[in-house]
Amino acid sequence: MWVSGAALVIAVVALIVALASGGDDGASRAGAAADTVRSASPSAPQAPDEEPTAPATGPLGTPSPSQPPSSPQSTDSPSVSAGSVTCPAPTVMVNDANSLDDALGNAMPGDVIGLADGTYKDKFTAETSGTADRPIWVCGGPGAVIDAGDVDGGYAFHLDGASYWRLVGFTVRNGQKGVMADHVEHAVIQGLTVEHIGDEAIHLRNFSSDNVVRDNTVRDTGLRKPKFGEGVYIGSAESNWCTVSKCKPDNSDRNVVTGNHISATTAESIDIKEGTTGGTVTRNTFDGADLSGDHNDSWVDVKGNGWTISFNTGSHAAADGFQTHEILKGWGRGNTFKGNVAHVDGPGYGFNLTPVNGNKVTCDNKVSGAGKGLTNTDCAH
């Protein structure tokens, strides 16, 4: 009996040692993975194209991005966080409109402009580009508020030919337009609250391509003219090409709009113009209760080519949930709608393709409350 008991004790001790050793290996592997994430370069995150799971949420209540921009953190400087995104440590902190204007005017690749909480009353412009490995950051919490003063004129925050910027976490309000990007590439607009805007909230135009608009809260637009109150606007209408893009199609291509919460807009949640190609709209939520009607009667209107619109959820549309249009011959073609959930509560279709033009609605889209049903064409398996 004594020998058996001793053997049992020895076996238990050996098991504990083995488990401890395995645990150390597991901890080492986890630590190595964490180090890899922390040292990742801040590149524009890509929108995945598979069935979504319930997103985790950060302090701002927005879905946590699957690949947040991240940079090595300084141990002796404070960082500015927004949602699940942690910006690099600021290279300059600002606390009023003058200091922000100076920081934007003097910005160089790799700079990180930290916004202290407070109200920045002015309209701001950035004109210097970052680089792929050294983007320029503007980071703040929702208590850092860029206030353009009124909804009748000007852009609250204008990226004017300024590529490779990261705008993260702060609030933008009271401009005719909220965040405007002209001739901008590889920018990320993330975790912002854009509200109380005269026309559209976020606009990518004038050959602005390969940008990401993600995890923003957009609301209360169209206060100046309801017909211009889009949430996110991509490209330019053909009637404006000679004003905006030197009479050429505004090829604002391959932009990604993902994880945004868009409500109280008087025009479409997302308006995608003729001339744009190959973008992605995924995992957004739309509430169209304030749509002004007439042509502003759906959450998403696609007039470009080759866009993928997937896994979005909408409620309260004035007519249809999702639409395509051929404004100009050769445009409004080859777009795909899949995995979306449309609670239309309106007289039209979940998906209204006018004309069909090679656009496709897959049969895994779910529609309720649509007076005319799923779509005006056959769904595709």
Side-chain angles (χ1 to χ4, degrees), residues 177-195:
K177 303 175 189 293
V179 178
M180 174 66 77
D182 279 311
H183 214 291
V184 168
E185 296 180 348
H186 302 289
V188 178
I189 300 167
Q190 181 165 4
L192 304 187
T193 297
V194 186
E195 62 186 6

Side-chain angles (χ1 to χ4, degrees), residues 334-355:
N335 302 290
T336 299
F337 299 84
K338 63 180 181 180
N340 301 284
V341 178
H343 305 295
V344 178
D345 298 327
Y349 294 100
F351 302 83
N352 193 3
L353 313 180
T354 54

Side-chain angles (χ1 to χ4, degrees), residues 257-343:
V257 183
T258 180
N260 301 283
H261 300 268
I262 304 175
S263 63
T265 63
T266 54
E268 295 89 353
S269 296
I270 300 177
D271 194 0
I272 300 167
K273 291 301 186 182
E274 56 273 19
T276 68
T277 302
T280 301
V281 174
T282 189
R283 303 170 190 250
N284 304 280
T285 60
F286 314 125
D287 186 339
D290 290 347
L291 286 168
S292 58
D294 194 14
H295 295 297
N296 302 317
D297 54 5
S298 65
W299 310 309
V300 178
D301 193 347
V302 186
K303 308 171 189 78
N305 291 350
W307 282 74
T308 299
I309 298 89
S310 61
F311 310 129
N312 303 283
T313 299
S315 59
H316 308 116
D320 308 304
F322 301 81
Q323 297 176 344
T324 66
H325 287 98
E326 184 184 57
I327 301 300
L328 195 65
K329 188 172 178 59
W331 293 101
R333 297 171 177 266
N335 302 290
T336 299
F337 299 84
K338 63 180 181 180
N340 301 284
V341 178
H343 305 295

